[in-house]
Short mmCIF file of all heavy atoms in Angstrom, two decimals:
data_model
loop_
_atom_site.label_atom_id
_atom_site.label_comp_id
_atom_site.label_asym_id
_atom_site.label_seq_id
_atom_site.Cartn_x
_atom_site.Cartn_y
_atom_site.Cartn_z
N GLY A 1 58.08 101.89 94.93
CA GLY A 1 59.08 102.50 95.79
C GLY A 1 60.44 101.86 95.65
O GLY A 1 60.57 100.71 95.23
N GLY A 2 61.48 102.62 95.99
CA GLY A 2 62.84 102.10 95.94
C GLY A 2 63.82 103.10 96.49
O GLY A 2 63.46 103.98 97.27
N TRP A 3 65.06 102.97 96.09
CA TRP A 3 66.12 103.82 96.57
C TRP A 3 66.86 104.47 95.41
O TRP A 3 66.83 103.97 94.28
CB TRP A 3 67.13 103.01 97.39
CG TRP A 3 66.61 102.56 98.71
CD1 TRP A 3 66.74 103.18 99.92
CD2 TRP A 3 65.87 101.36 98.98
NE1 TRP A 3 66.13 102.47 100.92
CE2 TRP A 3 65.58 101.34 100.37
CE3 TRP A 3 65.40 100.31 98.18
CZ2 TRP A 3 64.87 100.31 100.97
CZ3 TRP A 3 64.68 99.29 98.78
CH2 TRP A 3 64.43 99.29 100.16
N VAL A 4 67.54 105.54 95.70
CA VAL A 4 68.47 106.12 94.74
C VAL A 4 69.71 105.23 94.72
O VAL A 4 70.35 105.03 95.76
CB VAL A 4 68.86 107.56 95.13
CG1 VAL A 4 69.96 108.09 94.21
CG2 VAL A 4 67.64 108.48 95.09
N SER A 5 70.03 104.70 93.55
CA SER A 5 71.16 103.79 93.43
C SER A 5 72.45 104.50 93.03
O SER A 5 73.53 104.18 93.52
CB SER A 5 70.86 102.71 92.39
OG SER A 5 69.66 102.04 92.69
N ARG A 6 72.33 105.46 92.11
CA ARG A 6 73.48 106.26 91.65
C ARG A 6 72.97 107.64 91.26
O ARG A 6 71.80 107.82 90.96
CB ARG A 6 74.17 105.62 90.45
CG ARG A 6 75.05 104.45 90.75
CD ARG A 6 75.94 104.11 89.55
NE ARG A 6 75.17 103.73 88.38
CZ ARG A 6 75.66 103.71 87.14
NH1 ARG A 6 76.91 104.11 86.90
NH2 ARG A 6 74.91 103.34 86.12
N LEU A 7 73.89 108.59 91.21
CA LEU A 7 73.57 109.95 90.81
C LEU A 7 74.51 110.40 89.70
O LEU A 7 75.60 109.86 89.54
CB LEU A 7 73.69 110.91 92.00
CG LEU A 7 72.68 110.70 93.13
CD1 LEU A 7 73.09 111.47 94.37
CD2 LEU A 7 71.27 111.10 92.69
N ARG A 8 74.05 111.41 88.93
CA ARG A 8 74.84 111.98 87.84
C ARG A 8 75.34 110.88 86.90
O ARG A 8 76.51 110.83 86.53
CB ARG A 8 75.99 112.83 88.38
CG ARG A 8 75.50 114.09 89.07
CD ARG A 8 76.62 114.85 89.73
NE ARG A 8 77.09 114.16 90.93
CZ ARG A 8 76.50 114.22 92.11
NH1 ARG A 8 75.42 114.94 92.27
NH2 ARG A 8 76.99 113.56 93.14
N VAL A 9 74.42 110.01 86.51
CA VAL A 9 74.75 108.87 85.66
C VAL A 9 74.70 109.28 84.19
O VAL A 9 73.80 110.02 83.76
CB VAL A 9 73.75 107.72 85.91
CG1 VAL A 9 74.05 106.53 85.00
CG2 VAL A 9 73.79 107.30 87.37
N SER A 10 75.65 108.80 83.42
CA SER A 10 75.61 108.93 81.96
C SER A 10 75.27 107.57 81.38
O SER A 10 75.86 106.56 81.77
CB SER A 10 76.98 109.39 81.42
OG SER A 10 77.30 110.67 81.91
N ILE A 11 74.29 107.54 80.46
CA ILE A 11 73.89 106.26 79.88
C ILE A 11 73.88 106.38 78.36
O ILE A 11 73.48 107.39 77.81
CB ILE A 11 72.52 105.79 80.39
CG1 ILE A 11 71.45 106.85 80.13
CG2 ILE A 11 72.57 105.45 81.86
CD1 ILE A 11 70.06 106.42 80.52
N PRO A 12 74.36 105.33 77.66
CA PRO A 12 74.34 105.35 76.19
C PRO A 12 72.96 105.00 75.66
O PRO A 12 72.23 104.21 76.26
CB PRO A 12 75.37 104.27 75.82
CG PRO A 12 75.30 103.31 76.96
CD PRO A 12 74.99 104.12 78.20
N THR A 13 72.59 105.58 74.53
CA THR A 13 71.37 105.20 73.86
C THR A 13 71.69 104.22 72.74
O THR A 13 72.85 103.96 72.43
CB THR A 13 70.66 106.43 73.25
OG1 THR A 13 71.41 106.87 72.11
CG2 THR A 13 70.55 107.55 74.26
N SER A 14 70.65 103.69 72.13
CA SER A 14 70.85 102.75 71.02
C SER A 14 71.46 103.43 69.81
O SER A 14 71.89 102.76 68.87
CB SER A 14 69.51 102.11 70.64
OG SER A 14 68.57 103.10 70.26
N LEU A 15 71.49 104.78 69.80
CA LEU A 15 72.08 105.52 68.69
C LEU A 15 73.58 105.74 68.87
O LEU A 15 74.21 106.44 68.09
CB LEU A 15 71.39 106.88 68.55
CG LEU A 15 69.88 106.83 68.29
CD1 LEU A 15 69.31 108.24 68.27
CD2 LEU A 15 69.58 106.11 67.01
N GLY A 16 74.16 105.17 69.95
CA GLY A 16 75.57 105.35 70.19
C GLY A 16 75.90 106.69 70.82
O GLY A 16 77.04 107.11 70.81
N GLN A 17 74.90 107.38 71.37
CA GLN A 17 75.09 108.67 71.99
C GLN A 17 74.96 108.53 73.50
O GLN A 17 74.66 107.47 74.01
CB GLN A 17 74.10 109.67 71.41
CG GLN A 17 74.29 109.86 69.91
CD GLN A 17 73.10 110.49 69.24
OE1 GLN A 17 71.98 110.44 69.75
NE2 GLN A 17 73.31 111.09 68.09
N THR A 18 75.19 109.63 74.22
CA THR A 18 75.23 109.58 75.66
C THR A 18 74.35 110.66 76.27
O THR A 18 74.36 111.80 75.82
CB THR A 18 76.67 109.74 76.17
OG1 THR A 18 77.49 108.72 75.60
CG2 THR A 18 76.73 109.63 77.69
N LEU A 19 73.59 110.28 77.30
CA LEU A 19 72.78 111.22 78.06
C LEU A 19 73.37 111.35 79.45
O LEU A 19 73.85 110.37 80.02
CB LEU A 19 71.34 110.71 78.14
CG LEU A 19 70.67 110.39 76.81
CD1 LEU A 19 69.31 109.76 77.03
CD2 LEU A 19 70.54 111.65 75.98
N ASP A 20 73.29 112.56 80.02
CA ASP A 20 74.00 112.83 81.26
C ASP A 20 73.05 113.24 82.38
O ASP A 20 71.93 113.65 82.16
CB ASP A 20 75.04 113.93 81.04
CG ASP A 20 76.16 113.48 80.13
OD1 ASP A 20 76.99 112.69 80.58
OD2 ASP A 20 76.18 113.91 78.96
N ASP A 21 73.58 113.16 83.61
CA ASP A 21 72.93 113.62 84.83
C ASP A 21 71.60 112.94 85.07
O ASP A 21 70.59 113.58 85.36
CB ASP A 21 72.78 115.15 84.83
CG ASP A 21 72.62 115.70 86.24
OD1 ASP A 21 73.03 115.01 87.19
OD2 ASP A 21 72.07 116.80 86.39
N PHE A 22 71.60 111.61 84.97
CA PHE A 22 70.43 110.83 85.29
C PHE A 22 70.50 110.33 86.73
O PHE A 22 71.58 110.18 87.30
CB PHE A 22 70.31 109.62 84.36
CG PHE A 22 69.54 109.91 83.11
CD1 PHE A 22 70.04 110.78 82.15
CD2 PHE A 22 68.31 109.33 82.88
CE1 PHE A 22 69.34 111.05 81.00
CE2 PHE A 22 67.59 109.60 81.73
CZ PHE A 22 68.11 110.46 80.79
N ILE A 23 69.33 110.10 87.28
CA ILE A 23 69.20 109.47 88.60
C ILE A 23 68.89 108.00 88.36
O ILE A 23 67.92 107.67 87.67
CB ILE A 23 68.06 110.11 89.41
CG1 ILE A 23 68.30 111.61 89.57
CG2 ILE A 23 67.91 109.42 90.76
CD1 ILE A 23 67.05 112.37 89.99
N GLU A 24 69.71 107.12 88.91
CA GLU A 24 69.42 105.68 88.80
C GLU A 24 68.69 105.24 90.06
O GLU A 24 69.06 105.60 91.17
CB GLU A 24 70.72 104.89 88.65
CG GLU A 24 70.47 103.39 88.48
CD GLU A 24 71.76 102.60 88.37
OE1 GLU A 24 72.51 102.84 87.41
OE2 GLU A 24 72.01 101.76 89.26
N THR A 25 67.63 104.46 89.87
CA THR A 25 66.84 103.96 90.98
C THR A 25 66.47 102.50 90.76
O THR A 25 66.38 102.04 89.62
CB THR A 25 65.56 104.79 91.18
OG1 THR A 25 64.79 104.23 92.24
CG2 THR A 25 64.72 104.82 89.91
N ASP A 26 66.27 101.78 91.87
CA ASP A 26 65.79 100.41 91.74
C ASP A 26 64.27 100.33 91.88
O ASP A 26 63.70 99.25 91.88
CB ASP A 26 66.48 99.49 92.75
CG ASP A 26 66.09 99.81 94.19
OD1 ASP A 26 65.52 100.89 94.43
OD2 ASP A 26 66.39 98.98 95.07
N ALA A 27 63.60 101.49 91.99
CA ALA A 27 62.14 101.49 91.95
C ALA A 27 61.68 100.92 90.61
O ALA A 27 62.19 101.32 89.56
CB ALA A 27 61.60 102.91 92.14
N ALA A 28 60.75 100.00 90.64
CA ALA A 28 60.34 99.31 89.41
C ALA A 28 59.74 100.29 88.41
O ALA A 28 58.80 101.02 88.72
CB ALA A 28 59.32 98.23 89.75
N ILE A 29 60.30 100.32 87.21
CA ILE A 29 59.83 101.19 86.13
C ILE A 29 59.39 100.29 84.98
O ILE A 29 60.15 99.41 84.55
CB ILE A 29 60.93 102.16 85.69
CG1 ILE A 29 61.24 103.15 86.82
CG2 ILE A 29 60.54 102.91 84.42
CD1 ILE A 29 62.42 104.03 86.56
N ASN A 30 58.20 100.53 84.50
CA ASN A 30 57.63 99.69 83.44
C ASN A 30 57.14 100.54 82.29
O ASN A 30 57.00 101.77 82.42
CB ASN A 30 56.46 98.87 84.01
CG ASN A 30 56.90 97.86 85.05
OD1 ASN A 30 57.59 96.90 84.73
ND2 ASN A 30 56.53 98.09 86.29
N PRO A 31 56.88 99.92 81.12
CA PRO A 31 56.29 100.68 80.02
C PRO A 31 55.03 101.41 80.49
O PRO A 31 54.19 100.84 81.17
CB PRO A 31 55.96 99.59 79.00
CG PRO A 31 56.95 98.50 79.27
CD PRO A 31 57.16 98.52 80.76
N GLY A 32 54.93 102.67 80.13
CA GLY A 32 53.83 103.51 80.59
C GLY A 32 54.26 104.49 81.66
O GLY A 32 53.59 105.50 81.90
N ASN A 33 55.38 104.22 82.35
CA ASN A 33 55.88 105.12 83.38
C ASN A 33 56.55 106.38 82.81
O ASN A 33 56.72 107.37 83.53
CB ASN A 33 56.89 104.42 84.29
CG ASN A 33 56.24 103.65 85.43
OD1 ASN A 33 56.24 102.43 85.44
ND2 ASN A 33 55.67 104.38 86.38
#
């Protein structure tokens, strides 16, 4: 569980590109999620 930290977030990938409209949360996310 956690909270919504930001909305409509753009984040860069390792390829130097950008993804848009993400929800940022502090809910713990781990490999497999």
